[in-house]
Each structure stands twice: as C-alpha cells, then as structure tokens.
Amino acid sequence: GWVKVLQSWQSLPEIDKETILVVPYTDSGWAPLLARAGGLIAEVGGRLSHGAIVAREYGIPAVMDIHNATRLLQDGQRVRIDGKSGIVEVI
C-alpha cells in the first residue's frame, strides 16, 4: 500500500484500502480510520495493544513497535507489511 503518516486521528484524511497508516500510537479514536485503511504501522504497541486488536477485528495487517516510523516513512512511499512476521518493506 501507500504510506500516509498521521500524528493525530483528528485530521481525518482521505484514505482507502491501499493506504497504510503510519502513526505514533493508537487508541479508541483511531478506530474509524482503521476501518477504512489497508494496514497499520505504529511506533508504540504490541500484539495486545488497541491498534493491533482493532486491526485484527477489521482484517488488516498491522506492524507495531516500529521505532521512529513516523520519521522514517514518508507520505506516498510504497510499502509492503507482514503483520505475522512484523516486517515492513519499502518497495
């Protein structure tokens, strides 16, 4: 998918199933965006974090605990993520 870096869920950008959200953390406010996204990369969290649980509920891949993800990845980059192995690959 295509990277969209967000610092806050309040911006409510245009996203679709090709969008991989890259966020500093997740909480319940992120759920409406996750429902429309194709994947999630978060700087903080683990298998039992809110973002990971919601991603599983929506059937989207999520990779958590990627230090500095919002600085390392940029809007528009193409990435492949594997939620099972925790791998993020810039294509």
Side-chain angles (χ1 to χ4, degrees), residues 3 5 7 20-26 40-47 49 61-73 77 79-83 85-90:
V3 167
V5 178
Q7 296 297 327
I20 306 298
L21 294 178
V22 180
V23 302
Y25 66 93
T26 58
L40 171 67
I41 300 169
E43 292 180 334
V44 176
R47 288 181 170 185
S49 68
V63 180
M64 312 303 283
D65 200 29
I66 303 296
H67 188 67
N68 289 326
T70 60
R71 291 188 209 126
L72 296 171
L73 297 169
Q77 277 184 307
V79 296
R80 179 179 307 141
I81 64 174
D82 184 333
S85 64
I87 294 174
V88 176
E89 178 183 6
V90 177

Side-chain angles (χ1 to χ4, degrees), residues 15-23 26 30-42 47 49-64 81-84:
I15 63 171
D16 58 27
K17 292 297 180 185
E18 291 292 314
T19 305
I20 306 298
L21 294 178
V22 180
V23 302
T26 58
W30 291 95
L33 288 177
L34 294 177
R36 299 188 328 237
L40 171 67
I41 300 169
R47 288 181 170 185
S49 68
H50 183 269
I53 292 168
V54 172
R56 278 192 295 275
E57 288 177 13
Y58 290 136
I60 63 171
V63 180
M64 312 303 283
I81 64 174
D82 184 333
K84 289 183 181 181

